[in-house]
């Protein structure tokens, strides 16, 4: 049966009327974008109110923007970067290979890559950082060619990774001509999502509530339908009263009225039927009831499978041939329920909703189950299959588990571990034997370790109960150990974990094969990590001796892990630095990307490089790891790398940079609320704040950690105790500080750490003993540290020990030690330690009345302290320099030489006109770090803000070649 009508009630071929206010508002937002930067506009309203039509009409008449569009769908909420793919893939597919390469600039953009062979599943715990940055860069390049409109229909159904990118982009790109236009249904539950709320908050977004039409708007639709006939005003008012002005209801009403022979005149006013949402659904249901079974089957297939699916898939769902589907599609079009263009799709989402509303919950489950099976057999993407499986409830079949696991692997590849966890949780509802369930739990734990260490520990612990394969148990223990590393306060029985590792490492081998040897090496590595990370569980390991590594090559992962561990143990035992460096170099040649089966290789390489003072190499490693894990959702590991960056900055003496990175790490809380290495973060903050002379602020950080009652000995504790001791000493509590330093020494002894490069507690205690009038104890500690420093042959450790020894040694010998400390430290990146040595050397020269020599040492120390941002030390140096008769530079006179490397990079870009957000993006740092650098630079340059920066940089650049003023 067909209907003779000029326009379809449910279609979108009606003109847009009565929307002048909204179109003008969108024009205003577009003008802001073209003149200032990115904006978000939200069109909010009920279903069928005309949001999409309004958006389409606006962009059709505005040719300044290149339009990229995505339409979200309820079944696609679990598609990783599904909306992003809709936005960008058609564009990239339409351009030439050369242009595509220019747009992507060699970026992988896994979020858009369907055809690539999947990498091995990412194996660790970032909110998809690299993917987000690559998408930002792609949009930046596109918007430089032409202003960009990103149109997202039905935002309430968007997938989480795509939403995260939109929020990320809006928060960072403050000067790109990009308009993000979204449509949302009123009163949808998604607005409880914090990311959703962040995107559409008033500071970012201009919201337009699309209201029903007024009487004049209804009159325009009446004129459209009846052509030349001028409608009666009372007729139009009656239509408005019957429908409330809702465009979808108005069109349905007018369509039904025309079919019944009604004319838009006064005499027909009382014959206008009342149309509500239920009667509109009834109209659609009525049309379907008059159709054949094959038409109803196709309507249901479209409702379950979604729009624009190929006829072959629809035919498979309906159990018919392609010709039958095409015939049914023509009949649906004649009923006004399908659009006329392309592959079959409903004229409006309300048609799909109506079709599904006629089905019982059992029928809905059966329909989704059939859609999943047909999609799987037809080779559709696994995420489509998984979406139907999630909607169907329990579905059994040999094909279900592989499909869910493949979908999880693909989600991980795209950098959406939360989605992978959703799929694998569903897989656990399949009928699984014990070994299969254990393997799924291991995959679930691996995905969870990207962002939730506690969940990962729970899943992997359960997996270990059922895994019998030794290789799989080895993988599980690697994931478990890694998750324990990033899970503070875990209640997991660590001794039981150690027993599992020991049992696997001590099991009888089946032969001399490489696999058995590699497994044994792997377990030894994990036990070594456990010994260092949680020594209260295993007890300290014996110190290695030179030559013990001769049996190890550096060809396999296990051999590299053992080499890195031996290097670290040799470092702790104060063995010579060249020997340690040779070991760590062998372990880290062509270091591969991070994965669980390599843990703890990167961990021990990073720690060893740090205390060898190979800070440039350590920084390159940190950047390499950050690039490798970016886009893989490893939020916990990203937090840890940020902490490592803060430690590196502090070791270099970049106080502001260290504080900024530490705060960035503290702000990057995990979903469970626990920050990896929280104690280390606060240790950095205390040291940096004390260097700035901010004792009260340091106390506010320290007070959050209770020192008493700490029963577990861990490597973070000694470092924290040294920092807490420095705080107590700065507060004048010398004996309390000395007690804390002694406790630090006891912890180091329990850990088997004797190297002063890792824990120089003795040299710090020397000054306290001298202040308390106990030079004998001070001398003994200084001699011990100097002896250990000469053994380990690390210049920083030797310089620090020489400074302490010089302080307790009288006469020329003590002066020579201080001079040697300055000479040794000049060869290191330890600028703050060098500034302290210059201070002590200058003071010693001043005592001997060598004012000229004292002025040189003190001025060097002052320049270094100012460049580091060490305000407290700089103040002491200024005072001593004044006593030595030197001219003291006022704040701001040190110019660009006083800037740290990070501050100079930021200032250079700021002087060139880059915004703070652009600088953060270019340098791959947080916005807070950029702000911290600028604040420090303004103080050092003696200016009040950005307007004076370019002139200050130019002036100081001209003075770079100038000489220092002579002493008076």
């Amino acid at each position: 049966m067909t209907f003779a009508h000029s326009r379809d009630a449910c279609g979108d071929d009606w003109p847009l009327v009565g929307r002048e206010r909204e179109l003008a508002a969108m024009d205003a937002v577009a003008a802001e974008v073209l003149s200032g930067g990115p904006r978000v506009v939200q069109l909010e309203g009920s279903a069928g109110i005309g949001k999409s039509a309004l958006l389409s009409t606006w962009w059709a008449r505005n040719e300044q923007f290149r339009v990229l569009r995505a339409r979200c769908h309820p079944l696609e909420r679990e598609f990783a970067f599904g909306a992003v793919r809709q936005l960008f893939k058609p564009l990239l597919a339409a351009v030439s290979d050369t242009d595509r390469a220019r747009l992507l600039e060699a970026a992988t953009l896994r979020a858009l890559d369907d055809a690539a062979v999947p990498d091995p599943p990412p194996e660790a715990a970032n909110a998809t950082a690299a993917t987000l940055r690559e998408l930002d860069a792609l949009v930046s390049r596109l918007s430089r060619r032409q202003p960009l409109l990103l149109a997202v229909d039905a935002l309430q159904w968007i997938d989480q990774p795509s939403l995260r990118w939109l929020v990320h982009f809006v928060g960072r790109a403050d000067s790109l001509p990009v308009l993000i236009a979204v449509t949302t249904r009123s009163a949808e539950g998604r607005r409880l999502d914090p990311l959703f709320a962040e995107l559409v908050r008033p500071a970012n977004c201009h919201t337009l509530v699309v209201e029903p039409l007024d009487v004049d708007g209804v009159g325009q639709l009446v004129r459209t339908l009846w052509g030349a006939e001028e409608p009666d005003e009372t007729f139009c008012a009656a239509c408005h009263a019957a429908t409330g002005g809702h465009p979808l209801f108005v069109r349905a009403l007018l369509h039904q009225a025309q079919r019944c022979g009604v004319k838009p005149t006064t005499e027909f006013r009382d014959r206008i039927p009342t149309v509500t949402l239920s009667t509109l659904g009834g109209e659609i249901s009525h049309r379907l009831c008059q159709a054949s079974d094959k038409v109803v089957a196709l309507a249901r297939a479209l409702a379950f499978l979604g729009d624009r699916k190929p006829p072959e898939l629809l035919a498979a769902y309906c159990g018919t041939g392609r010709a039958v589907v095409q015939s049914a599609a023509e009949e649906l079009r004649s009923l006004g329920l399908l659009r006329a263009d392309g592959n079959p799709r409903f004229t409006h989402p309300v048609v799909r909703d109506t079709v599904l509303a006629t089905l019982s919950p059992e029928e809905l489950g059966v329909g989704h189950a059939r859609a999943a099976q047909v999609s799987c057999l037809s080779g559709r993407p696994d995420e489509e299959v998984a979406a139907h499986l999630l909607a169907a409830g329990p579905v059994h079949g040999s094909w279900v588990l592989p499909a869910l696991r493949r979908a999880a692997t693909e989600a991980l590849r795209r950098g959406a571990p939360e989605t992978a966890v959703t799929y694998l949780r569903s897989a656990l509802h399949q009928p699984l034997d014990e070994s299969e369930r254990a393997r799924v739990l291991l995959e679930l734990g691996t995905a969870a370790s990207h962002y939730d260490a506690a969940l990962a520990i729970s899943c992997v612990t359960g997996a270990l109960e059922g895994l019998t394969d030794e290789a799989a148990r080895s993988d599980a223990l690697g994931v478990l150990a890694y998750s324990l590393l990033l899970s503070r306060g875990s209640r997991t029985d660590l001794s039981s974990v150690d027993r599992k590792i020991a049992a696997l490492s001590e099991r009888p081998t089946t032969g001399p094969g490489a696999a058995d040897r590699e497994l044994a090496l792997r377990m030894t590595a994990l036990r070594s990590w456990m010994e260092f990370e949680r020594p209260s569980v295993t007890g300290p390991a014996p110190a290695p001796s030179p030559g013990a590594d001769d049996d190890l090559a550096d060809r396999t992962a296990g051999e590299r892990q053992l080499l890195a561990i031996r290097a670290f143990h040799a470092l702790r035992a104060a063995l010579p630095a060249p020997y340690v460096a040779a070991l760590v170099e062998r372990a880290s040649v062509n270091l591969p990307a991070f994965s669980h089966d390599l843990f703890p290789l990167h961990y021990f390489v990073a720690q060893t490089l740090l205390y060898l003072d190979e800070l440039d190499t350590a920084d390159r490693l940190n950047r390499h790891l950050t690039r490798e894990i970016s886009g893989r959702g490893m939020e916990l590991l990203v937090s840890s790398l940020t902490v490592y960056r803060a430690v590196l900055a502090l070791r270099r003496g970049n106080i502001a940079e260290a504080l900024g990175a530490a705060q960035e790490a503290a702000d990057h809380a995990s979903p469970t609320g626990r920050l990896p290495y929280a104690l280390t973060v606060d240790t950095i903050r205390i040291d940096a704040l004390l260097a700035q002379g901010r004792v009260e602020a340091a106390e506010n950080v320290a007070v959050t950690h209770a020192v008493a009652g700490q029963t577990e000995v861990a490597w973070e504790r000694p470092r924290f105790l040294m920092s807490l001791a420095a705080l107590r000493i700065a507060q004048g509590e010398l004996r309390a500080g000395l007690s804390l330093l002694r406790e630090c020494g006891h912890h180091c002894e329990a850990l088997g750490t004797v190297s002063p490069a890792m824990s120089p507690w003795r040299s710090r205690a020397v000054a306290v003993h001298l202040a308390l009038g106990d030079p004998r104890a001070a001398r003994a500690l200084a001699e011990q540290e100097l002896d250990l420093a000469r053994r380990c042959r690390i210049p920083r450790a030797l310089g620090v020990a020489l400074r302490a020894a010089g302080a307790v040694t009288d006469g020329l010998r003590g002066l020579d030690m201080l001079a040697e400390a300055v000479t040794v430290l000049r060869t290191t990146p330890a600028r703050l330690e060098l500034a302290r040595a210059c201070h002590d050397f200058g003071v010693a020269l001043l005592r001997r009345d060598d004012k000229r020599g004292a002025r040189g040492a003190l001025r060097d120390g002052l320049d270094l302290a100012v460049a580091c941002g060490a305000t407290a030390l700089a103040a002491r140096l200024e005072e001593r320099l004044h006593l030595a008769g030197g001219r003291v530079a006022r704040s701001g006179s040190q110019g660009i030489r006083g800037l740290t490397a990070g501050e100079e990079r930021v200032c250079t870009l700021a002087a060139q006109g880059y915004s703070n957000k652009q600088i953060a993006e270019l340098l791959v740092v947080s916005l807070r770090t950029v702000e911290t650098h600028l604040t420090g630079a303004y103080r050092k340059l003696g200016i009040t803000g950005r307007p004076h920066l370019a002139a200050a940089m130019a002036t100081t650049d001209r003075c770079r070649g100038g000489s220092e003023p002579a002493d008076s």
Side-chain angles (χ1 to χ4, degrees), residues 443-695:
E443 293 173 16
L444 178 54
T446 302
S449 69
H450 288 57
Y451 67 96
D452 189 339
L455 176 59
I457 291 168
S458 175
C459 294
V460 177
T461 302
L464 282 168
E465 300 301 322
L467 289 172
T468 56
D469 178 72
E470 291 179 347
R473 288 182 64 81
S474 171
D475 291 341
L477 287 168
V479 177
L480 182 58
Y482 172 78
S483 301
L484 286 168
L485 171 67
L486 299 180
S487 175
R488 289 293 175 258
S490 170
R491 296 184 180 180
T492 301
D493 184 354
L494 296 175
S495 60
S496 70
V497 176
D498 183 61
R499 286 194 298 271
K500 288 182 174 70
I501 295 174
L504 194 56
S505 63
E506 295 167 1
R507 94 268 183 266
T509 60
T510 57
D516 281 337
R517 180 174 182 272
E518 191 68 8
L519 181 62
L521 292 174
R522 176 98 174 97
M523 292 302 101
T524 302
L526 289 178
R527 292 205 77 192
S528 296
W529 166 81
M530 184 76 76
E531 175 272 318
F532 175 62
E533 182 69 21
R534 307 289 173 90
S536 58
V537 176
T538 62
S545 58
D549 58 292
D550 292 343
D551 60 322
L552 286 176
D554 50 22
R555 294 185 296 271
T556 71
E559 289 171 340
R560 287 186 170 201
Q561 286 171 340
L562 262 295
L563 283 170
I565 289 166
R566 289 184 179 181
F568 185 71
H569 284 318
L571 176 74
R572 294 169 67 190
L575 294 185
Y579 167 68
V580 178
L583 284 177
V584 79
E585 183 177 0
R586 289 175 60 195
S588 57
V589 171
N590 297 322
L591 197 65
F594 180 88
S595 63
H596 283 122
D597 59 354
L598 290 174
F599 178 78
L601 171 59
H602 298 81
Y603 177 92
F604 282 116
V605 167
Q607 294 286 339
T608 305
L609 289 173
L610 180 70
Y611 293 109
L612 280 176
D613 242 16
E614 298 288 347
L615 301 189
D616 289 340
T617 306
D619 185 61
R620 286 194 296 272
L621 172 62
N622 193 54
R623 291 178 179 272
H624 166 73
L625 288 176
T626 301
R627 284 194 305 270
E628 289 294 336
I629 67 169
S630 291
R632 291 165 59 177
M634 298 179 174
E635 298 188 4
L636 293 175
L637 187 52
V638 167
S639 295
S640 300
L641 291 174
T642 305
V643 175
Y644 189 62
R645 175 157 55 88
V647 174
L648 288 173
L650 190 63
R651 297 278 291 181
R652 291 184 189 278
N654 296 340
I655 303 303
E657 185 175 345
L659 263 180
Q663 188 60 52
E664 181 182 343
D667 292 343
H668 198 120
S670 70
T672 57
R674 288 190 294 271
L675 174 71
Y677 301 129
L679 194 60
T680 296
V681 169
D682 285 344
T683 298
I684 296 167
R685 294 167 72 187
I686 291 171
D687 286 344
L689 290 168
L690 289 177
Q692 293 180 339
R694 298 163 62 187
V695 177

Side-chain angles (χ1 to χ4, degrees), residues 133 172 619 622-623 626-627 645 657 664 900-910 912 914-927 929-931 933-934:
R133 286 198 303 271
R172 294 177 69 90
D619 185 61
N622 193 54
R623 291 178 179 272
T626 301
R627 284 194 305 270
R645 175 157 55 88
E657 185 175 345
E664 181 182 343
T900 67
E903 288 169 343
E904 185 171 354
R905 286 194 297 269
V906 169
C907 286
T908 300
L909 292 171
Q912 293 172 3
Y914 288 91
S915 69
N916 288 6
K917 290 183 179 179
Q918 288 174 315
I919 295 170
E921 182 178 345
L922 288 169
L923 299 181
V924 197
V925 297
S926 71
L927 186 60
T929 299
V930 173
E931 293 167 348
H933 282 334
L934 285 175

